[in-house]
Amino acid sequence: MNDARATLPADSAITRWLDGASAPVRAGVYLRRAPAGPFTCWDGEHWRADAATPAAAAREDRASQFLRSPWRGLIAPSDAPCATCRGHTVLDHGIDAETGADLIEECPDC
Protein backbone atom coordinates (compact mmCIF):
# COMPACT_ATOMS: atom_id res chain seq x y z
CA MET A 1 0.00 0.00 0.00
CA ASN A 2 2.97 2.33 0.40
CA ASP A 3 3.28 2.68 -3.38
CA ALA A 4 -0.40 3.59 -3.70
CA ARG A 5 -0.15 6.08 -0.81
CA ALA A 6 2.72 7.83 -2.66
CA THR A 7 0.38 8.82 -5.50
CA LEU A 8 -1.69 11.04 -3.17
CA PRO A 9 -0.86 14.75 -2.82
CA ALA A 10 2.10 15.35 -0.49
CA ASP A 11 1.21 15.70 3.20
CA SER A 12 -2.37 14.57 2.58
CA ALA A 13 -4.22 13.52 5.71
CA ILE A 14 -6.20 10.40 4.98
CA THR A 15 -8.92 8.63 6.91
CA ARG A 16 -8.39 5.44 8.86
CA TRP A 17 -9.42 2.28 7.05
CA LEU A 18 -13.22 2.23 6.96
CA ASP A 19 -15.36 -0.88 6.91
CA GLY A 20 -16.33 -2.00 3.42
CA ALA A 21 -19.98 -2.16 4.50
CA SER A 22 -20.09 1.65 4.63
CA ALA A 23 -19.90 3.84 1.52
CA PRO A 24 -18.11 7.15 0.96
CA VAL A 25 -20.16 10.34 1.15
CA ARG A 26 -18.55 11.85 -1.97
CA ALA A 27 -17.93 10.36 -5.41
CA GLY A 28 -14.27 10.00 -6.33
CA VAL A 29 -11.24 7.74 -6.31
CA TYR A 30 -10.34 5.95 -3.07
CA LEU A 31 -7.64 3.63 -1.80
CA ARG A 32 -8.95 0.09 -1.25
CA ARG A 33 -7.50 -2.93 0.52
CA ALA A 34 -6.84 -6.19 -1.28
CA PRO A 35 -8.39 -8.02 -2.92
CA ALA A 36 -9.77 -4.74 -4.35
CA GLY A 37 -7.75 -1.75 -5.49
CA PRO A 38 -5.34 -0.38 -4.85
CA PHE A 39 -7.60 2.34 -6.33
CA THR A 40 -11.31 2.26 -7.02
CA CYS A 41 -13.74 4.98 -8.00
CA TRP A 42 -16.95 5.39 -6.01
CA ASP A 43 -19.48 6.88 -8.44
CA GLY A 44 -21.89 7.90 -5.69
CA GLU A 45 -23.84 4.64 -5.88
CA HIS A 46 -21.42 1.81 -6.77
CA TRP A 47 -17.74 0.89 -6.71
CA ARG A 48 -16.29 0.73 -10.20
CA ALA A 49 -13.60 -1.72 -11.35
CA ASP A 50 -10.29 -1.65 -9.51
CA ALA A 51 -7.17 -0.10 -11.03
CA ALA A 52 -3.46 0.46 -10.41
CA THR A 53 -3.58 4.29 -10.51
CA PRO A 54 -6.08 7.02 -9.59
CA ALA A 55 -6.39 8.09 -13.26
CA ALA A 56 -7.09 4.53 -14.39
CA ALA A 57 -9.68 4.12 -11.62
CA ALA A 58 -11.43 7.32 -12.74
CA ARG A 59 -11.72 5.95 -16.30
CA GLU A 60 -13.30 2.64 -15.26
CA ASP A 61 -16.99 2.21 -15.95
CA ARG A 62 -17.27 -1.51 -15.17
CA ALA A 63 -18.45 -2.62 -11.73
CA SER A 64 -15.92 -3.78 -9.14
CA GLN A 65 -16.00 -7.46 -8.27
CA PHE A 66 -15.31 -6.53 -4.64
CA LEU A 67 -18.16 -4.59 -3.08
CA ARG A 68 -17.16 -4.67 0.60
CA SER A 69 -13.40 -4.08 0.74
CA PRO A 70 -12.15 -1.58 3.33
CA TRP A 71 -11.37 1.86 1.92
CA ARG A 72 -9.82 5.19 2.85
CA GLY A 73 -9.68 8.67 1.33
CA LEU A 74 -8.60 12.24 1.98
CA ILE A 75 -9.88 13.80 5.20
CA ALA A 76 -10.15 17.26 3.62
CA PRO A 77 -9.87 18.63 0.10
CA SER A 78 -6.27 19.20 -0.92
CA ASP A 79 -4.75 22.34 -2.41
CA ALA A 80 -2.65 20.08 -4.65
CA PRO A 81 -3.77 19.38 -8.21
CA CYS A 82 -6.35 16.64 -8.54
CA ALA A 83 -4.65 13.23 -8.19
CA THR A 84 -6.77 11.87 -11.04
CA CYS A 85 -6.21 14.48 -13.76
CA ARG A 86 -3.23 16.31 -12.21
CA GLY A 87 -5.05 19.63 -12.38
CA HIS A 88 -6.06 19.51 -16.05
CA THR A 89 -9.79 19.01 -15.19
CA VAL A 90 -10.11 16.62 -18.15
CA LEU A 91 -8.91 13.11 -18.96
CA ASP A 92 -7.51 12.59 -22.45
CA HIS A 93 -8.07 9.02 -23.65
CA GLY A 94 -6.51 9.59 -27.07
CA ILE A 95 -8.28 9.37 -30.41
CA ASP A 96 -11.01 6.96 -31.50
CA ALA A 97 -9.42 4.74 -34.18
CA GLU A 98 -12.64 4.43 -36.19
CA THR A 99 -13.95 7.99 -36.15
CA GLY A 100 -10.81 10.04 -35.42
CA ALA A 101 -12.70 11.85 -32.64
CA ASP A 102 -10.81 13.08 -29.59
CA LEU A 103 -11.71 11.00 -26.54
CA ILE A 104 -11.68 13.66 -23.84
CA GLU A 105 -13.94 13.72 -20.81
CA GLU A 106 -14.29 15.89 -17.73
CA CYS A 107 -12.51 14.59 -14.66
CA PRO A 108 -15.00 12.88 -12.32
CA ASP A 109 -13.06 14.10 -9.27
CA CYS A 110 -12.85 17.84 -10.05
Side-chain angles (χ1 to χ4, degrees):
M1 188 54 64
N2 288 342
D3 292 341
R5 175 73 171 88
T7 64
L8 297 174
D11 299 324
S12 295
I14 57 176
T15 65
R16 64 179 169 75
W17 286 104
L18 298 164
D19 185 329
S22 63
V25 174
R26 292 178 198 85
V29 175
Y30 290 84
L31 288 167
R32 300 253 322 254
R33 275 198 177 147
F39 296 97
T40 310
C41 188
W42 173 253
D43 66 12
E45 294 182 23
H46 305 96
W47 289 109
R48 294 193 219 154
D50 309 299
T53 67
R59 288 191 301 266
E60 281 294 346
D61 57 2
R62 296 172 294 135
S64 175
Q65 294 177 326
F66 308 103
L67 304 180
R68 296 191 176 264
S69 290
W71 59 273
R72 67 193 310 185
L74 296 177
I75 289 175
S78 171
D79 291 336
C82 172
T84 301
C85 69
R86 304 292 184 216
H88 299 287
T89 71
V90 295
L91 297 174
D92 187 349
H93 303 289
I95 298 174
D96 185 289
E98 290 183 19
T99 65
D102 285 330
L103 300 174
I104 296 176
E105 66 180 344
E106 291 185 32
C107 178
D109 296 332
C110 287

